[in-house]
Amino acid sequence: MVDFSDEDFPADPYPGSRPDGSFVHIGKSGHHLVNGRTLPDGTGLDEFLSAHGAAPLAGRLPVLAYGSNANPSKISWLRDRLGLRGPVVVIGAECHGVSAVWSAGVRARDGQRPAVLAGLPGVVEHHAVWLTTPDQRAVLDECEGRGERYRLSWVHAPVRLEGHGALSSVLAYTARPEAVGADVPVHLNRSPLVVDGHFVRCSEVGQADAVLLVGVAGGEDGLVVSEVSGEP
């Protein structure tokens, strides 16, 4: 038995919808997690992972999903197109001082405006964190265009994971400096969009209105990060 299927959470419009709280996704469906650690039938998350031949929680690293990567249909797309394997553990996350904001660029394949991460002191947002195996994180590298549009970074900001405690830093795909600025081509540009002097938070403006926004490419994202070279 499953708690939800991909059809319950369509990917379009970007960033798609996602289940409330934490969940584990496998085979175009998923299970909600109670307090981030237990399936509804009482099975512990590590027990579930072991039954599927997957790495335990202790063998995984946290990667912030602030755009479409917490959408179940997108996770299945990663399985179908990029070879993502195994259960995907997605934990609800309370993030302090960082925000998903709309990019100045648009996606080449459909013209939708993607999200980028930006520093916004005092803001608290609820996103999600994948607890990734090394091969799952490599799939995210490919999907996110690591080295082209985004870089993998440790973002130094407080994040509290449901049932898993607090982190002082979390891995995330943040805009590369080379992808930021007014002269970057629109399909590669991952500058925060600035409208009337402010970033536009994704939580406040939906995709239908975001694609119509007129602004300028921000010169920096305001994040405090340490870029990862090679494997984290």
Side-chain angles (χ1 to χ4, degrees), residues 123-213:
V123 165
V124 178
E125 290 188 352
H126 292 272
H127 294 293
V129 163
W130 278 37
L131 298 180
T132 63
T133 63
D135 64 307
Q136 288 177 341
R137 208 221 67 254
V139 168
L140 291 177
D141 278 358
E142 183 176 356
C143 174
E144 299 300 331
R146 183 182 178 189
E148 183 182 36
R149 302 179 301 275
Y150 295 95
R151 55 181 173 166
L152 182 65
S153 305
W154 285 104
V155 176
H156 305 302
V159 174
R160 179 168 294 278
L161 303 184
E162 182 185 19
H164 295 265
L167 304 173
S168 59
S169 298
V170 64
L171 288 167
Y173 292 90
T174 62
R176 293 182 70 226
E178 295 85 353
V180 173
D183 297 329
V184 179
V186 67
H187 292 145
L188 296 177
N189 198 312
R190 292 301 179 265
S191 309
L193 181 69
V194 178
V195 177
D196 295 331
H198 301 284
F199 297 155
V200 183
R201 294 170 63 188
C202 300
S203 61
E204 296 178 344
V205 177
Q207 179 67 224
D209 293 320
V211 296
L212 302 177
L213 291 171

